[in-house]
Amino acid sequence: MFQYLVMIPKYASDLATIEQTVLTLVQKALDSNPNLIPYITNDDYLLMKEVHAKRIVYGIKMMFGVDFAWEVVAVDGNVGRLARRVCIY
C-alpha cells in the first residue's frame, strides 16, 4: 500500500495551506520523479498515469475527507485547481 508521509497542518482551512499540502502529496504520489512533479502550485503535472491519480485521490480522501474520481485529478492538471476543488467541498 502506498504510504503518505504528508502531515496536515492543524488548521488546514485556508487555500494557501491546502495548496502546499496537496503539492507535497502530488510530488510524493508521482514518486518524486523530477520529470513529472510540479514544483509550485501553478505548475501543471504532465502525463499522469491512472495509478498516480488514484494515489492522489486516496491521499485527499484520507487527509481532507473529500472523495474524487481519479479522472478529476487527471483533468484538473494543476495543484492549484485541485486545491480549490478541495476547498469547495
Side-chain angles (χ1 to χ4, degrees), residues 2-51:
F2 183 73
Q3 293 286 327
Y4 289 99
L5 302 174
V6 179
M7 298 300 296
I8 303 170
K10 187 173 182 180
Y11 299 105
S13 60
D14 63 299
L15 180 60
T17 304
I18 292 172
E19 281 180 338
Q20 288 304 310
T21 305
V22 172
L23 177 64
T24 304
L25 170 67
V26 169
Q27 290 171 338
K28 292 186 183 299
L30 293 174
D31 301 322
S32 299
N33 182 337
N35 296 323
L36 298 177
I37 64 171
Y39 291 97
I40 59 173
T41 58
N42 292 330
D43 282 350
D44 291 337
Y45 35 79
L46 305 172
L47 299 173
M48 182 178 295
K49 295 180 181 178
E50 182 179 339
V51 67

Side-chain angles (χ1 to χ4, degrees), residues 50-69:
E50 182 179 339
V51 67
H52 295 135
K54 286 182 177 182
R55 289 177 186 173
I56 294 168
V57 166
Y58 179 76
I60 289 173
K61 183 176 182 182
M62 293 295 109
M63 290 189 294
F64 300 107
V66 178
D67 195 12
F68 296 130

